[in-house]
Amino acid sequence: AQKVTQAQTEISVVEKEDVTLDCVYETRDTTYYLFWYKQPPSGELVFLIRRNSFDEQNEISGRYSWNFQKSTSSFNFTITASQVVDSAVYFCALSLTGGGNKLTFGTGTQLKVEL
Amino acid sequence: NAGVTQTPKFRILKIGQSMTLQCTQDMNHNYMYWYRQDPGMGLKLIYYSVGAGITDKGEVPNGYNVSRSTTEDFPLRLELAAPSQTSVYFCASSYPMEPQHFGDGTRLSIL
C-alpha cells in the first residue's frame, strides 16, 4: 500500500519569507507519479504539479519550486517570497501508473502567510 | 467548458435518510473518482471508475454506492445516512495517467 506523510500540520510565515513544505512517500512500485495540490480557503482543489518517478529534475515555476529526491523518498515544495495569497492547505499525493491512477493523499499542510 | 460539476453544494440530512450526490464532467474523461475529506485530513478515495459500466471500491466504500452508465456522469449514493458520513465530498475526473480535475465539492452534514 502507498503512504504519503506531511509532517508539518501548520506553518506560519511573514510575507516575503521563503517556506518549504515537506512530503515523504512510501511505495514498493518503481513507477509512480507525485503531485501537489493547493486548497485555498474557498475550498476547491487546484492542481500545481506532477512528477513521474523517472524524472528527478527539480522544477521551478515562478515563485514555486519542487525538489524530488528518490534516495530519501521526498518531494518537497518551496515557495519563495511568500505572499498572503499563498495562504492555503497544500496536499502532496501519489498515484501508481496503473490500477485507475488513484490518488493517495497526505494529510495536508496549512500555510498561513501574514503581513 | 464547465469541467467537473457537483450538485448540490450543501446539504443537511437526517440520520437514516438517503440521497444522491451528482457529478458530471464535460471533458470526455475516462476516469472518474469520489473522495471524501474530513476536517484536518487529506482526501480518501471512496469509489472510482475507469469507464462507463466499470466501477471499483476505494479505501472507504462502506455506506456508499456508485454507478457509471455514461462517460459524463458518476453519481454517489448514500443509503441510510450516518453521522460518520458528515464530510466534504469531491468528485474528480481525468484521462489515464493525467492529473485529476476536481469539482468544487459538496458539503454534507448528517444530524
Side-chain angles (χ1 to χ4, degrees):
Chain A
Q2 287 61 243
K3 185 177 180 181
V4 176
T5 300
Q6 295 180 256
Q8 304 152 308
T9 305
E10 186 172 318
I11 301 175
S12 290
V13 298
V14 176
E15 202 175 37
K16 298 184 184 175
E17 285 185 5
D18 299 346
V19 58
T20 295
L21 309 182
D22 297 332
C23 173
V24 174
Y25 63 92
E26 296 176 30
T27 179
R28 293 185 177 182
D29 282 63
T30 56
T31 55
Y32 50 88
Y33 289 103
L34 294 164
F35 301 80
W36 278 95
Y37 282 85
K38 174 181 180 180
Q39 187 175 43
S42 50
E44 73 273 21
L45 282 153
V46 178
F47 165 72
L48 295 177
I49 190 171
R50 178 189 70 168
R51 305 296 290 181
N52 75 54
S53 52
F54 294 109
D55 184 0
E56 284 192 75
Q57 260 192 328
N58 291 334
E59 181 156 339
I60 298 174
S61 175
R63 297 184 297 106
Y64 295 171
S65 62
W66 291 269
N67 182 359
F68 176 28
Q69 291 193 328
K70 286 180 77 171
S71 60
T72 56
S73 297
S74 64
F75 185 42
N76 296 337
F77 173 28
T78 297
I79 302 174
T80 303
S82 59
Q83 300 176 1
V84 172
V85 294
D86 295 326
S87 296
V89 180
Y90 291 86
F91 290 101
C92 181
L94 177 149
S95 78
L96 303 182
T97 55
N101 304 141
K102 307 179 291 288
L103 285 171
T104 298
F105 282 85
T107 51
T109 297
Q110 170 83 59
L111 175 64
K112 295 184 178 179
V113 182
E114 298 165 335
L115 292 170
Chain B
N1 222 1
V4 179
T5 302
Q6 292 183 235
T7 56
K9 295 193 185 308
F10 304 95
R11 183 73 184 268
I12 299 175
L13 280 183
K14 293 183 179 178
I15 295 171
Q17 287 185 321
S18 301
M19 79 162 294
T20 299
L21 281 65
Q22 301 292 345
C23 175
T24 187
Q25 51 95 7
D26 62 0
M27 297 171 281
N28 203 33
H29 286 162
N30 310 78
Y31 291 4
M32 294 189 76
Y33 311 83
W34 275 105
Y35 295 89
R36 60 177 285 174
Q37 182 181 21
D38 298 325
M41 302 294 290
L43 282 71
K44 294 193 175 182
L45 182 67
I46 306 171
Y47 271 95
Y48 68 103
S49 168
V50 297
I54 305 169
T55 62
D56 208 346
K57 295 178 180 178
E59 185 182 357
V60 290
N62 291 344
Y64 306 95
N65 279 300
V66 293
S67 59
R68 182 99 182 268
S69 56
T70 67
T71 298
E72 295 78 20
D73 300 307
F74 191 40
L76 178 71
R77 177 87 177 156
L78 277 72
E79 306 281 2
L80 298 175
S84 60
Q85 294 177 304
T86 294
S87 191
V88 181
Y89 291 83
F90 287 96
C91 179
S93 70
S94 73
Y95 290 119
M97 293 197 285
E98 290 295 316
Q100 294 178 21
H101 298 255
F102 285 82
D104 289 340
T106 295
R107 189 173 298 272
L108 180 63
S109 294
I110 299 165
L111 305 174

